[in-house]
Amino acid sequence: MSVKIIIFGVRDSEIELFQQLKPKNFKLKLISDNLTHENIVLTAGYDGVLLRANNLADAHNLNQMKAYGIRYIFTRTVGYNHIDLNQAQQNGQIVAYVPSYSPYAVADLAFSLGIMQSRLLPYTIRNTSQGDFRINGNYLTIEFQNMTVGIIGTGKIGRAEARLWQGVGAQVFAYDRHPKQELANVVSYVTQKELLKSSDIVSLHIPYIKGGNENFFGKGQLIQMKASAVLVNTSRAEITDEEAILDAVEDHQIKAFATDVIKNEAAYFGKKIGLADGTVGRMQSLYPRVIVTPHLGSFTNEALNDMITTSFLNFEHALAGDFDDNFLVKPITIDE
């Protein structure tokens, strides 16, 4: 039986991989744009929809897909807050996600951003590109083997970054409500207060829980950090108070900030917008002490392979009636 799947948010560099990895009985329609209210009509005639972050699967779009007879609404991401699970359940629609992929994809980026901002490399590179080859006193830093790096959240990605820092000789502190025994020889678990007070780089790896931990990291945490410290966020922007962080950078309360995520990403990422207003505009104005990457943490060959392969397996399992832990809304909730 042929299965028709429409996939949104596909980058040009991903097209070949989708075609290589698809099962023979799958027919794909690859769309570069994210799913919105305006292009929901494109889903008509398909058996399933595959999304990624910043694709809109709210009640309006889910109801429209239900009217088209679409039962499978899957995402190829770990995060799934772009899908209204309650509405999907009411509609009898099935939702699956990718619970994990190569953890080093995001860990490598967090590690790289920490290095860049600890040495203020964007600042230095910008100056030399403009012909200023003087060494500024702000460039002075400590070497890795004398650094303390704090990892908040030691899931798979946090653990991977901790091992990277251990590999270059840094002391690694970690904070997690559920310490991992396997990291006993990699990190020292400490209180959050001790981590913030001692760390030269603080890296966030906390999942976003809607209605549970919005703005978790804000003014109260920033005042505990060293003025020479760098903050890195490659998890979700919703867990941070972005304005408080920018205030801290602007007031030299912390040295620098690097993030791969921003709030309301769909309005910015994947587009060429020039200079922005509001919070994003402030981030741009504080460059290079604030640097933003456009949610490319998972953009590696290994991670993309994992995400696409798992997504196709989710469709195959659903069609076979095998609803494993990857399924967030299962058919047992359907009112037949």
Side-chain angles (χ1 to χ4, degrees):
M1 182 182 73
S2 177
V3 182
K4 296 175 66 178
I5 300 171
I6 185 168
I7 306 175
F8 288 88
V10 179
R11 302 179 179 96
D12 289 345
S13 55
E14 298 172 326
I15 293 174
E16 184 177 353
L17 193 58
F18 269 108
Q19 296 296 352
Q20 286 177 353
L21 296 174
K22 78 176 183 68
K24 290 182 179 179
N25 62 321
F26 282 26
K27 291 186 176 180
L28 307 182
K29 177 67 174 179
L30 305 179
I31 305 294
S32 61
D33 293 333
N34 289 329
L35 178 64
T36 64
H37 287 166
E38 289 68 35
N39 64 11
I40 185 65
V41 295
L42 296 176
T43 64
Y46 289 88
D47 302 302
V49 176
L50 182 58
L51 311 172
R52 64 176 176 87
N54 300 319
N55 283 234
L56 188 61
D58 61 357
H60 175 276
N61 278 357
L62 290 173
N63 289 338
Q64 190 63 58
M65 286 188 276
K66 179 185 178 182
Y68 294 149
I70 299 174
R71 194 180 184 196
Y72 307 110
I73 294 91
F74 293 0
T75 184
R76 57 185 172 112
T77 55
V78 173
Y80 50 83
N81 57 294
H82 51 294
I83 302 176
D84 187 333
L85 300 183
N86 290 330
Q87 189 63 51
Q89 184 170 339
Q90 290 179 35
N91 290 353
Q93 292 164 318
I94 299 170
V95 181
Y97 77 131
V98 176
S100 65
Y101 50 82
S102 172
Y104 279 99
V106 178
D108 285 354
L109 178 63
F111 179 66
S112 301
L113 292 174
I115 291 172
M116 288 175 66
Q117 291 299 70
S118 69
R119 299 210 65 158
L120 291 179
L121 292 178
Y123 188 82
T124 309
I125 294 166
R126 185 192 67 175
N127 285 356
T128 56
S129 72
Q130 296 174 353
D132 186 351
F133 292 88
R134 296 172 295 177
I135 294 179
N136 188 300
N138 292 324
Y139 302 165
L140 188 65
T141 188
I142 59 176
E143 297 171 6
F144 296 152
Q145 70 270 18
N146 293 316
M147 278 187 180
T148 297
V149 177
I151 308 291
I152 299 183
T154 51
K156 291 181 180 179
I157 296 171
R159 295 199 296 269
E161 188 187 2
R163 291 190 174 97
L164 290 171
W165 283 112
Q166 182 196 42
V168 295
Q171 176 177 233
V172 186
F173 282 176
Y175 172 76
D176 196 301
R177 292 181 180 177
H178 305 286
K180 309 299 187 295
Q181 195 65 36
E182 67 195 79
L183 288 182
N185 296 323
V186 180
V187 308
S188 298
Y189 278 101
V190 297
T191 65
Q192 182 177 280
K193 182 177 180 179
E194 177 63 23
L195 182 150
L196 294 173
K197 180 182 74 173
S198 306
S199 296
D200 301 293
I201 297 171
V202 174
S203 188
L204 305 179
H205 295 290
I206 305 169
Y208 168 50
I209 303 169
K210 192 172 184 179
N213 63 351
E214 283 90 351
N215 296 329
F216 152 76
F217 199 96
K219 187 175 181 180
Q221 290 69 39
L222 291 158
I223 61 175
Q224 298 177 57
M225 293 175 63
K226 300 194 292 188
S228 59
V230 169
L231 177 64
V232 178
N233 185 19
T234 54
S235 53
R236 287 292 183 269
E238 288 79 6
I239 68 166
T240 65
D241 183 337
E242 293 177 321
E243 289 292 336
I245 293 170
L246 299 181
D247 287 343
V249 174
E250 201 165 46
D251 296 341
H252 294 274
Q253 190 177 326
I254 63 173
K255 182 178 182 178
F257 175 51
T259 183
D260 190 42
V261 290
I262 59 174
K263 294 179 181 178
N264 192 25
E265 287 184 5
Y268 303 96
F269 289 176
K271 303 175 182 178
K272 187 174 182 179
I273 64 166
L275 296 178
D277 297 321
T279 302
V280 175
R282 280 192 75 193
M283 291 180 180
Q284 292 173 310
S285 70
L286 286 168
Y287 174 85
R289 291 181 59 222
V290 172
I291 57 176
V292 182
T293 50
H295 208 145
L296 51 75
S298 61
F299 198 53
T300 68
N301 288 328
E302 294 84 352
L304 289 178
N305 194 303
D306 291 346
M307 294 162 81
I308 294 171
T309 298
T310 302
S311 295
F312 286 148
L313 284 173
N314 286 343
F315 279 110
E316 291 188 311
H317 288 175
L319 293 167
D322 178 14
F323 301 99
D324 55 29
D325 291 341
N326 290 4
F327 288 82
L328 300 164
V329 180
K330 302 182 181 183
I332 56 172
T333 63
I334 298 173
D335 184 3
E336 297 289 349

